[in-house]
Amino acid sequence: MTSDQRSTLQPTLAATGAPREYLSFKLGHEEYGIDILKVQEIRGYEQPTRIANAPHFIKGVVNLRGVIVPIVDMRLRFDLPDVKYDAFTVVIILNIAHRTVGMVVDSVSDVLELPAGQIKPAPEFNGAIDASYITGLGTIKHGDDERMLILMDIEQMMTSADMGLMDAVLH
């Protein structure tokens, strides 16, 4: 199935309430989720090669099996304090708009299946993330514990003009 076929299929699945799978990851104290279909692989962090005049949140590029992949540090992108690189720091390699992009996150938790009933609309607010990139809030229950997952439209975010990825780095 091509990504075009997947993207046309996704709204249909959401409308019918079919569960969707999300990769959950942490940035600071928050937990986020992105559509698992956008994820190519998860790798340990390696120092990328810097690119002159790139925005501060683009750490540089890495050569991934012959493909030059820009690496975005999401902690810097969201202006999180105290950005540290440790054994848990990983790069999620994404397939976005027929391009490959990497994003650095604090850690990856797991893959979660969320039925439509566990996803609530995102409230309007001003924060580090543009609210238009948040598709909803997922609720995950483990016994008596409950945690919230901020669901992101990672493709819309990575292709936005303020990221500068689709023109400057990749063309």
Side-chain angles (χ1 to χ4, degrees):
M1 179 180 293
T2 67
S3 61
D4 289 340
Q5 290 169 319
R6 262 191 237 115
S7 61
T8 26
L9 184 62
Q10 284 173 349
T12 310
L13 291 175
T16 61
R20 292 179 61 184
E21 290 187 326
Y22 295 89
L23 176 68
S24 67
F25 61 89
K26 291 199 177 227
L27 286 173
H29 299 292
E30 305 299 329
E31 192 170 8
Y32 296 85
I34 57 174
D35 187 338
I36 193 70
L37 297 176
K38 303 290 181 200
V39 177
Q40 176 179 312
E41 64 183 280
I42 300 165
R43 302 172 51 85
Y45 180 77
E46 63 183 76
Q47 186 66 41
T49 303
R50 285 285 303 150
I51 296 178
N53 301 321
H56 75 283
F57 52 83
I58 296 181
K59 298 297 291 178
V61 295
V62 296
N63 184 338
L64 182 64
R65 295 180 293 278
V67 176
I68 302 302
V69 179
I71 304 297
V72 176
D73 191 320
M74 298 302 279
R75 299 168 300 184
L76 295 174
R77 173 65 178 87
F78 295 157
D79 296 322
L80 295 179
D82 200 27
V83 174
K84 285 189 253 194
Y85 298 89
D86 59 26
F88 297 106
T89 305
V90 296
V91 177
I92 302 171
I93 304 296
L94 305 165
N95 281 317
I96 304 283
H98 308 293
R99 304 275 166 82
T100 305
V101 177
M103 67 180 206
V104 179
V105 299
D106 290 338
S107 63
V108 170
S109 305
D110 45 21
V111 175
L112 301 164
E113 189 175 275
L114 290 176
Q118 285 178 248
I119 300 173
K120 306 289 181 235
E124 293 292 322
F125 60 89
N126 289 330
I129 306 175
D130 185 329
S132 66
Y133 304 139
I134 298 175
T135 59
L137 299 173
T139 307
I140 300 108
K141 294 181 182 181
H142 289 287
D144 290 338
D145 291 340
E146 186 173 285
R147 53 189 237 246
M148 294 294 278
L149 194 64
I150 301 166
L151 303 177
M152 294 176 56
D153 183 339
I154 197 65
E155 184 156 358
Q156 184 175 341
M157 175 182 223
M158 290 293 186
T159 58
S160 68
D162 62 327
M163 291 295 284
L165 287 171
M166 292 302 140
D167 296 323
V169 178
L170 297 174
H171 282 232

